Amino acid sequence: MLYFIILVASSLQDISAFSSSNKSTITETTTSSTTILQRRQFLSSIISSSIIIPTTIIITSQQQPANAAVRDPKTGILLPSVGEIESSIPQPWDEDDNPFTSLSDTVSFSRLDASDDKIFYAEPRFVEHVDQQAVESMTSYVTDRLLRNGDSVLDLCSSWTSHIAPGKLELKRVAGLGMNAKELEANTALTEWTVQDLNENKHVKLPYGNDSFDVVMCQLSIDYLIHPLEVMKEVARVLKPGGKVAILISNRLFLTKAVGLWTGSDDIEHAYTVGSYLRYCGGDFGDIKAEDLSIRKKNGKERVIVGDPLYVITATKL
């Protein structure tokens, strides 16, 4: 029997704003320890208070007014102010606030479409999933800041592009792991590729040896993983000591394939959630940070995001 999470929102556009009715106000600075605690409590509450019933989604109009300053004009999704993404990661972390200790996989990582992912990804999609300026920002970050000459790289949840600018780096190895063979075959940045469904088995095992890579990156896909803690623990295993993981996220997604924990929260919670995956997966990650890579322009007193947002959460294997 299939089970889906009940999402409480006033419309599908407001699904990402659902968290505002479950948390206290987040101010534009979002730097106090109180705010960080509120964020932890929110993530715990969405895990503990979600309700499941067989194959049903209930939508209600009890959405409370949003607290963030700006909404995306295209989607209605709440957008963070300057600095909010960076301050979403607690400094320091408190082990007593691990939001996943009482987690129910059935609730928090259920999806509207629980069918076999091999069906969904059977046909190749040779398209970008964010707009052109976000693609350019992602390519610039990956090529100019994340990777270095001589690196061995794993592109996790890879497809037809890894957003590595051609001709700018001499990389030792670029392994791609994804869901569609035709997409991976078309990716000219890859030196090797493997098809593997990371959602197929909770006891996931990446097909690489210990300490194999200098960098593991995952682009616009973490929201589809139903076993993210297990996958991140495997990421730590295949990273070399001192190696870096970079998880790039936006708020554009295939709604039916994203997990309930993701669709029920906004961009600030998304960054905190990914940081929590890295902190609490048991993979011995440190120096967990989040950065807003979005393009912004001045609008009154605010510098607001224009186009599709882009964020990165990074950590280093100790």
Side-chain angles (χ1 to χ4, degrees), residues 24-189:
S24 301
T25 301
I26 295 180
T27 65
E28 290 186 11
T29 56
T30 325
T31 56
S32 70
S33 59
T34 300
T35 302
I36 290 171
L37 178 59
Q38 290 168 350
R39 216 172 275 134
R40 294 172 182 162
Q41 290 171 339
F42 161 71
L43 188 53
S44 296
S45 71
I46 199 172
I47 291 169
S48 60
S49 65
S50 300
I51 307 169
I52 51 171
I53 60 176
T55 59
T56 303
I57 306 169
I58 295 177
I59 298 177
T60 178
S61 61
Q62 299 301 313
Q63 178 71 26
Q64 295 181 3
N67 297 310
V70 179
R71 282 183 179 269
D72 187 318
K74 291 193 295 185
T75 66
I77 294 172
L78 294 171
L79 296 175
S81 297
V82 173
E84 286 191 308
I85 291 298
E86 286 78 1
S87 62
S88 67
I89 304 300
Q91 301 293 340
W93 291 84
D94 188 339
E95 294 305 317
D96 292 335
D97 289 319
N98 182 346
F100 304 111
T101 53
S102 59
L103 177 144
S104 167
D105 286 356
T106 307
V107 173
S108 300
F109 297 111
S110 292
R111 300 173 297 171
L112 302 182
D113 178 4
S115 62
D116 192 332
D117 285 341
K118 293 184 180 66
I119 300 172
F120 186 82
Y121 294 102
E123 294 298 321
R125 294 179 175 88
F126 295 105
V127 296
E128 295 284 4
H129 300 290
V130 288
D131 64 19
Q132 185 58 34
Q133 71 173 16
V135 169
E136 292 172 0
S137 295
M138 189 156 43
T139 303
S140 175
Y141 173 79
V142 169
T143 306
D144 300 329
R145 296 180 54 194
L146 179 62
L147 305 182
R148 297 175 298 179
N149 286 329
D151 277 347
S152 292
V153 182
L154 171 58
D155 185 8
L156 198 66
C157 305
S158 186
S159 63
W160 65 277
T161 176
S162 295
H163 301 105
I164 301 172
K168 294 193 71 173
L169 292 168
E170 294 183 6
L171 300 171
K172 181 178 181 180
R173 177 187 186 189
V174 184
L177 187 149
M179 285 290 293
N180 186 279
K182 290 182 179 179
E183 289 182 9
L184 295 168
E185 189 175 29
N187 189 335
T188 57

Side-chain angles (χ1 to χ4, degrees), residues 72 74 129-131 133-134 250 252 294 305-310:
D72 187 318
K74 291 193 295 185
H129 300 290
V130 288
D131 64 19
Q133 71 173 16
S250 183
R252 306 300 188 247
S294 308
I305 294 173
V306 292
D308 291 349
L310 184 67

Side-chain angles (χ1 to χ4, degrees), residues 228-242:
L229 297 172
E230 291 78 9
V231 172
M232 290 302 104
K233 188 173 183 178
E234 273 292 281
V235 166
R237 181 185 65 79
V238 303
L239 267 176
K240 299 175 183 178

